[in-house]
């Protein structure tokens, strides 16, 4: 897909949110989805096609980037949920926002409530936090691209931040259908993807270890199938065909493997990158180095999901978080250094060209996988 055709028609737009884990829970990865095309009245202008240097690496100078359209996925700026489908929604209070998603015209928000605990609340744009909507212990949240299906799971903790056994999964659609699955043996139940009535989730098997199984919950029948060979699953593509497994390498190094969901076989692995999420078509995985410095990374890389080959890499600023906006475009929170303002930029995987999606701000910015 060319940059111009993807931008003009918006390609397949990823507006679903990632599953994450907080505190002692294994991290989740963004699950992209296929989305609606932007109407001709709101279609953005194409990225400026600047020829790239030989090779896939593109060094970014933030001062030279042109201004582009605002993000087409939901994101958080300070305490305001913006982007995606709907108007801005302000989250009241002072508790840190861990994740936020749009659903049924409102917002679902995971808040840090202190002492290692979290809770999910529903926020109305006109009324604030909806009474009776609080669900304690929620640590992962995924909303489908059409914002018509949501799934979330708990990772309950004790006051000393240790895990508490016995967790719950929730699923609901916009028609009001809802299901709940109790997992009494799970040390965490981390939702990684939701595809219609099917919820993919990681189930913690040890109190003090990130070991987990990958499972598919058929909400219509209530059946749960364990998908073999995964040891610490962190992501599933939207098609439900492959997933990312966190594995150990030589000399206690950190590695990531891509596996087929059907049989658990490893497609490829890397000990150079941490694999953080898929584009909506499942063709590309975005990644960062397997270390973090000052809460940011020195690069973001787009890898071919079938082979692991580098398709594009960006360097220059510090990269704080990344998500897929559509098949060919990544949104990235970037800053120039520690304690500096941040912004969201948009970059094309095909050409490497980038533009500014939000201006620099001192307010914290949060993308689905940040």
């Amino acid at each position: 897909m060319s940059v111009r055709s993807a931008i003009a028609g918006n390609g397949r737009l990823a507006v679903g949110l990632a599953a994450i884990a907080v505190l002692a829970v294994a991290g989740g990865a963004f699950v992209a989805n296929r989305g609606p095309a932007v109407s001709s009245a709101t279609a953005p202008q194409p990225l400026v096609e600047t020829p790239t240097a030989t090779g896939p690496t593109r060094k970014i100078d933030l001062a030279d980037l042109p201004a582009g359209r605002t993000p087409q996925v939901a994101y958080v700026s300070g305490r305001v949920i913006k982007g995606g489908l709907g108007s801005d929604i302000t989250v009241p209070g002072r508790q840190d926002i861990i994740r936020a998603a749009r659903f049924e015209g409102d917002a679902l928000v995971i808040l840090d409530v202190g002492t290692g605990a979290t809770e999910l609340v529903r926020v109305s744009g006109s009324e604030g936090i909806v009474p009776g909507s609080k669900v304690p212990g929620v640590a992962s949240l995924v909303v489908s691209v059409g914002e018509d299906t949501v799934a979330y799971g708990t990772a309950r903790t004790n006051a000393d931040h240790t895990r508490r056994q016995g967790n719950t999964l929730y699923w609901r659609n916009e028609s009001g259908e809802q299901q709940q699955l109790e997992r009494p043996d799970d040390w965490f139940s981390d939702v990684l993807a939701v595809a219609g009535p099917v919820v993919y989730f990681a189930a913690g098997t040890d109190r003090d270890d990130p070991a987990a199984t990958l499972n598919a919950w058929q909400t219509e029948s209530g059946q749960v199938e364990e998908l073999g060979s995964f040891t610490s699953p962190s992501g599933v593509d939207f098609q439900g065909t492959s997933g990312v497994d966190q594995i150990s390498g030589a000399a206690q190094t950190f590695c990531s493997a891509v596996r087929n969901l059907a049989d658990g076989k490893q497609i490829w692995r890397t000990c150079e990158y941490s694999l953080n999420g898929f584009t909506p078509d499942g063709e590309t995985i975005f990644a960062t180095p397997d270390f973090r410095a000052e809460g940011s990374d020195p690069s973001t890389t787009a890898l071919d999901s079938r082979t692991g080959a580098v398709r594009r890499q960006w360097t220059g600023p510090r990269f704080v978080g990344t998500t897929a906006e559509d098949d060919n475009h990544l949104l990235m929170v970037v800053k120039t250094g520690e304690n500096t303002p941040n912004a969201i930029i948009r970059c094309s995987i095909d050409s490497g060209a980038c533009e500014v999606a939000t201006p620099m701000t001192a307010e914290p910015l949060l993308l689905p996988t940040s």
Side-chain angles (χ1 to χ4, degrees):
M1 180 183 295
S2 70
V3 174
R4 293 182 184 278
S5 61
I7 285 286
N10 203 40
R12 282 169 286 201
L13 183 65
V15 300
L17 282 183
I20 69 158
V22 295
L23 307 172
V25 182
F30 173 77
V31 182
N33 209 324
R34 300 171 186 266
V38 174
S39 69
S40 58
T42 59
Q45 296 300 310
L47 283 170
V48 177
E49 295 297 337
T50 303
T52 60
T54 302
T57 300
R58 182 75 180 269
K59 187 173 182 179
I60 298 171
D61 186 340
L62 296 179
D64 292 339
L65 296 185
R69 58 174 179 160
T70 58
Q72 302 298 288
V73 301
Y75 68 99
V76 180
S77 177
R79 302 200 66 81
V80 182
I81 301 167
K82 301 183 177 183
L85 306 175
S87 57
D88 292 354
I89 296 178
T90 299
V91 181
R94 297 183 178 180
Q95 297 165 324
D96 288 343
I97 298 172
I98 306 300
R99 280 293 178 270
R102 297 186 184 276
F103 187 65
E104 295 180 327
D106 292 336
L108 298 176
V109 183
I110 298 176
L111 298 172
D112 181 351
V113 295
T115 63
T118 60
E119 67 181 13
L120 179 132
V121 297
R122 183 164 183 155
V123 182
S124 166
S126 59
E127 301 176 6
I129 295 177
V130 176
S133 67
K134 293 182 180 180
V135 182
V138 173
S140 58
L141 170 68
V142 175
V143 175
S144 67
V145 64
E147 299 175 2
D148 57 355
T149 307
V150 63
Y152 46 94
T154 65
R156 299 186 178 101
T157 59
N158 300 310
D160 61 358
H161 294 199
T162 57
R163 294 173 182 166
R164 184 187 307 174
Q165 194 172 29
N167 285 280
T168 308
L169 294 164
Y170 303 86
W171 173 92
R172 179 183 174 90
N173 64 20
E174 66 177 0
S175 299
E177 298 175 301
Q178 54 187 345
Q179 299 292 339
Q180 181 172 321
L181 178 66
E182 297 298 331
R183 300 283 297 181
D185 297 327
D186 287 2
W187 290 97
F188 61 84
S189 300
D190 184 16
V191 176
L192 303 180
V194 57
V198 183
V199 178
Y200 296 93
F201 69 97
T205 58
D206 190 293
R207 185 188 66 179
D208 303 312
D209 191 273
T213 60
L214 179 61
N215 306 270
W217 171 29
Q218 306 286 342
T219 60
E220 292 177 326
S221 65
Q223 295 182 340
V224 177
E225 178 187 4
E226 182 176 327
L227 306 177
S229 299
F230 284 81
T231 59
S232 186
S234 62
V236 173
D237 66 10
F238 172 67
Q239 292 75 18
T241 58
S242 61
V244 173
D245 198 11
Q246 296 178 346
I247 58 178
S248 298
Q252 297 182 331
T253 57
F254 171 85
C255 301
S256 296
V258 179
R259 301 187 187 278
N260 284 317
L261 263 60
D263 56 17
K265 289 184 178 179
Q266 179 178 294
I267 304 172
W268 56 273
R269 62 180 284 176
T270 176
C271 297
E272 184 178 358
Y273 301 104
S274 172
L275 307 180
N276 301 327
F278 294 85
T279 52
D281 58 7
E283 298 294 318
T284 305
I285 295 178
F286 51 88
T288 51
D290 64 348
F291 62 93
R292 296 189 71 86
E294 301 175 353
S296 61
D297 287 291
S299 65
T300 293
T301 304
L303 303 168
D304 188 307
S305 64
R306 295 160 296 185
T307 66
V310 175
R311 297 189 59 197
R312 187 68 60 184
Q313 184 175 81
W314 296 272
T315 64
R318 304 300 301 185
F319 296 86
V320 181
T322 302
T323 199
E325 186 178 43
D326 58 38
D327 295 344
N328 184 48
H329 298 91
L330 301 181
L331 294 171
M332 296 177 270
V333 177
V334 295
K335 59 182 181 179
T336 57
E338 187 178 5
N339 298 321
T340 61
N342 55 177
I344 297 176
I345 64 173
R346 174 184 294 102
C347 294
S348 162
I349 298 169
D350 283 351
S351 72
C354 298
E355 65 186 15
V356 177
T358 69
M360 281 286 182
T361 177
E363 294 280 7
L365 295 170
L366 183 66
L367 285 168
T369 52
S370 301

